[in-house]
C-alpha cells in the first residue's frame, strides 16, 4: 500500500482527494495547520470512508516538525495542496502569500530531498495563463503574465519545480492546473467552507440561497460574451479529486515533469450558473449587476485533451450535479464545520 502525504489535507480540495485516495486503497497522511480549515474535517473523511487516516497539525514551513513526520512515516509520494488562495488578500498581503506558498514549498521540497522522496503532485491554477492567450487554454501556452500576487506564487512555484527537476532527474513532478472547482461530496459531510464573506461565486450563491447573504452582485455585465457576464470552466470537486488519483499513477510510473489542465472544457457564464443553481435546487437567487472585478478575464476554459490522452482523465459530473451537491452541503451545514 502506498503512503501518500497530503499537505492541506483538511482543505476543500484536499479533503475530497483524501476520500478518493482512501477509497482507492492508498494510505493517507494529512498535514495541515488548519489556518483555513478545521480538524473536524478529518473525522468527516473517516466517516465517509469508514477507514482510518493519520493527521498532523503542522505548518509546512516548520522544517523540524515536517522532518519528524517524514522520519516517522515512510512516505512514497506527496500531494501538495497547502497554500493560501485568496486573490484579494494576496494583493493586500503579498509577503504573507510569498512566505506561505513559495517558502512553504521550498521547505517541503528540502525535506523531501533529505528523505529521498522525489515524487510530487502540485496544485497549480489556470491563473498562470494570465490574459496573454485566448481560450481554450492548452498546457503548452505561455504562462507568467499573471494579474495578482496569488497567481504569481503559483507561477513561481511551477518554475521552481521545473528547475528542481532539471537539477536532478530523479524527481517525478506533476503540475495540475485547476480551473474552477465547485460542489461537494454527495454525502454532504465535506464541502467548501469559506471564512467570512465568500470570494468565489458558488459559495456566494449557496449562501444567498440559504438566506445568509441577501443578494449576489454579478461582477460586470458588459463583457464580450453572449450574455455579457464572465465565463468559467466549473469542475465538480469530486472529479477534480479523481484527477489526482490519475496524476499519482502517472507520477509513480514516470520520471519527469508533466503539466495537466483539470477542467471540463465547457464554459458557463455567471448568469448560466445562477440559472443552473435555481433549476437544481428550486431556490431563487436575487442578484444585481455591479461593476467588473479588477483583474477578471472574460472567458476562461480548458483544453482537456492532454489529461484525457495521457492520464485517461475525463470529468463525469455536469453543472446540475455541481449545483445540487453544493446546495446539499450548504443546507446540511449552514454554518460550515463549526456549529454556532
Ligand atoms: P483550502 O484553503 O480549502 O485548503 C488549503 C489547506 O491548506 C487548508 O486546510 C489550510 O489550512 C492549509 N494550509 C495553508 N497553509 C498551510 C501551511 N503553511 N501549512 C500547513 N497547512 C497549510 O484551499 P483549496 O481550495 O482546497 O485549495 C487547495 C490548493 O489548490 C491551494 O494550493 C490552492 O491555491 C489551489 N487551487 C485552488 C483553487 C480553488 O478554486 N479552490 C483553484 C486553483 C488552485
Ligand atoms: N463572480 C461574481 N460575483 C461574485 C463572485 C464571483 O460575479 O460574488 C464572478 C467572477 O467575476 C467570475 C466568476 O464569477 O467571473 C467566477 O469567480 P470565482 O471568484 O469563483 O473564480 P475565478 O475568478 O477564480 O475564476
Amino acid at each position: 500500500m502506498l503512503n501518500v502525504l497530503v499537505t492541506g489535507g483538511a482543505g476543500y480540495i484536499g479533503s475530497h482527494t483524501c476520500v478518493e485516495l482512501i477509497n482507492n486503497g492508498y494510505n493517507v497522511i494529512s498535514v495541515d495547520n488548519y489556518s483555513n480549515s478545521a480538524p473536524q474535517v478529518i473525522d468527516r473523511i473517516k466517516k465517509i470512508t469508514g477507514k482510518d487516516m493519520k493527521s498532523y497539525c503542522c505548518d509546512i514551513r516548520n522544517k523540524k516538525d515536517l522532518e519528524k513526520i517524514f522520519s516517522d512515516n515512510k512516505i512514497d509520494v506527496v500531494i501538495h495542496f497547502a497554500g493560501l488562495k485568496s486573490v484579494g488578500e494576496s494583493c493586500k498581503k503579498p509577503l504573507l502569500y510569498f512566505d506561505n506558498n513559495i517558502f512553504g514549498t521550498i521547505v517541503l521540497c528540502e525535506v523531501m530531498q533529505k528523505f529521498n522522496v522525489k515524487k510530487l503532485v502540485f496544485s497549480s491554477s489556470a491563473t498562470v495563463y494570465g490574459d496573454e492567450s485566448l481560450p481554450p487554454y492548452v498546457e503548452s501556452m505561455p504562462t507568467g503574465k499573471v494579474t495578482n500576487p496569488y497567481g504569481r506564487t503559483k507561477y513561481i512555484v511551477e518554475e521552481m519545480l521545473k528547475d528542481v527537476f532539471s537539477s536532478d532527474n530523479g524527481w517525478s513532478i506533476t503540475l495540475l492546473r485547476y480551473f474552477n472547482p465547485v460542489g461537494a461530496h454527495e454525502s454532504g459531510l465535506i464541502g467548501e467552507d469559506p471564512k467570512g464573506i465568500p470570494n468565489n461565486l458558488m459559495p456566494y450563491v449557496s449562501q444567498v440561497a440559504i438566506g445568509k447573504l441577501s443578494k449576489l452582485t454579478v461582477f460586470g455585465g458588459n463583457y464580450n460574451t453572449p450574455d455579457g457576464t464572465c465565463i468559467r470552466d466549473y469542475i465538480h470537486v469530486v472529479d477534480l479529486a479523481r484527477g489526482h488519483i490519475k496524476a499519482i499513477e502517472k507520477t509513480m510510473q514516470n520520471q519527469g515533469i508533466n503539466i495537466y489542465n483539470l477542467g471540463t472544457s465547457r464554459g458557463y457564464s455567471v448568469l448560466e450558473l445562477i440559472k443552473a443553481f435555481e433549476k437544481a435546487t428550486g431556490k431563487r437567487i436575487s442578484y444585481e449587476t455591479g461593476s467588473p472585478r479588477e483583474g477578471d478575464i472574460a472567458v476562461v476554459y480548458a483544453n482537456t485533451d492532454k489529461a484525457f490522452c495521457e492520464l485517461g482523465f475525463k470529468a463525469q459530473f455536469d453543472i446540475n450535479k455541481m449545483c445540487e451537491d453544493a446546495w446539499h452541503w450548504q443546507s446540511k451545514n449552514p454554518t460550515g464545520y463549526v456549529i454556532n
Side-chain angles (χ1 to χ4, degrees):
M1 196 189 264
L2 285 182
N3 291 326
V4 187
L5 184 99
V6 181
T7 75
Y12 173 46
I13 306 170
S15 57
H16 289 82
T17 303
C18 287
V19 167
E20 296 305 314
L21 286 165
I22 295 169
N23 286 343
N24 280 276
Y26 291 93
N27 192 34
V28 174
I29 298 136
S30 164
V31 173
D32 201 302
N33 65 359
Y34 305 116
S35 58
N36 197 37
S37 56
Q40 291 93 309
V41 177
I42 305 297
D43 296 325
R44 302 275 183 102
I45 297 170
K46 290 179 189 169
K47 194 166 174 192
I48 293 171
T49 58
K51 303 237 169 70
D52 206 6
M53 65 178 270
K54 258 194 191 174
S55 60
Y56 293 91
C57 178
C58 164
D59 191 303
I60 56 161
R61 289 166 294 181
N62 187 327
K63 203 172 191 176
K64 277 219 163 69
D65 287 359
L66 202 56
E67 284 180 343
K68 175 90 174 72
I69 294 169
F70 273 75
S71 85
D72 289 351
N73 299 276
K74 197 203 133 294
I75 308 295
D76 296 298
V77 51
V78 175
I79 310 184
H80 179 31
F81 293 106
L84 299 175
K85 63 166 181 179
S86 160
V87 170
E89 188 185 43
S90 79
C91 296
K92 293 196 184 91
K93 302 176 180 170
L95 297 178
L96 175 70
Y97 274 66
F98 287 119
D99 182 48
N100 201 73
N101 295 5
I102 300 174
F103 178 62
T105 308
I106 293 173
V107 174
L108 174 67
C109 289
E110 283 172 347
V111 175
M112 288 176 71
Q113 215 154 22
K114 180 167 175 182
F115 286 83
N116 202 29
V117 180
K118 293 185 178 172
K119 298 191 185 308
L120 176 66
V121 176
F122 173 65
S123 298
S124 190
S125 165
T127 192
V128 298
Y129 292 113
D131 54 6
E132 229 176 324
S133 315
L134 289 176
Y137 292 102
V138 178
E139 289 84 345
S140 54
M141 281 175 171
T143 53
K145 277 214 162 170
V146 288
T147 52
N148 56 73
Y150 163 72
R152 202 160 347 269
T153 67
K154 292 294 173 192
Y155 170 69
I156 292 171
V157 169
E158 281 201 2
E159 295 303 300
M160 190 174 84
L161 293 176
K162 289 177 193 169
D163 287 338
V164 167
F165 174 72
S166 302
S167 74
D168 174 358
N169 291 353
W171 280 83
S172 176
I173 300 174
T174 304
L175 310 178
L176 298 178
R177 294 180 180 155
Y178 309 153
F179 282 68
N180 288 61
V182 294
H185 191 266
E186 67 177 359
S187 64
L189 285 169
I190 54 173
E192 191 168 10
D193 183 19
K195 289 200 164 94
I197 296 175
N199 295 308
N200 297 109
L201 181 62
M202 185 68 99
Y204 203 108
V205 167
S206 307
Q207 293 197 14
V208 170
I210 204 147
K212 262 174 101 171
L213 297 168
S214 59
K215 194 185 272 186
L216 170 78
T217 302
V218 174
F219 296 145
N222 282 317
Y223 284 99
N224 186 16
T225 60
D227 66 20
T229 67
C230 286
I231 291 175
R232 293 289 180 273
D233 183 342
Y234 298 96
I235 175 168
H236 196 295
V237 65
V238 172
D239 272 327
L240 189 72
R242 290 178 181 160
H244 290 74
I245 306 294
K246 302 284 190 188
I248 289 262
E249 287 164 4
K250 178 86 176 172
T251 311
M252 293 312 292
Q253 281 163 16
N254 270 62
Q255 276 165 340
I257 182 138
N258 289 291
I259 307 178
Y260 299 102
N261 289 336
L262 292 183
T264 65
S265 76
R266 162 81 157 94
Y268 284 88
S269 73
V270 177
L271 296 184
E272 284 174 325
L273 186 126
I274 295 171
K275 281 206 188 75
F277 191 93
E278 290 182 332
K279 188 161 171 255
T281 65
K283 293 273 157 191
R284 281 211 59 72
I285 304 301
S286 311
Y287 68 87
E288 62 187 8
T289 305
S291 351
R293 183 169 65 179
E294 213 187 312
D296 269 351
I297 295 168
V299 183
V300 178
Y301 61 96
N303 175 309
T304 55
D305 293 349
K306 192 173 177 219
F308 182 63
C309 294
E310 294 185 17
L311 300 179
F313 172 74
K314 196 172 185 347
Q316 302 296 317
F317 298 124
D318 63 10
I319 194 85
N320 187 57
K321 177 80 172 150
M322 298 180 210
C323 294
E324 229 173 62
D325 288 342
W327 174 238
H328 185 215
W329 153 255
Q330 178 69 68
S331 49
K332 235 179 131 173
N333 306 270
T335 56
Y337 288 107
V338 179
I339 295 148
N340 286 339

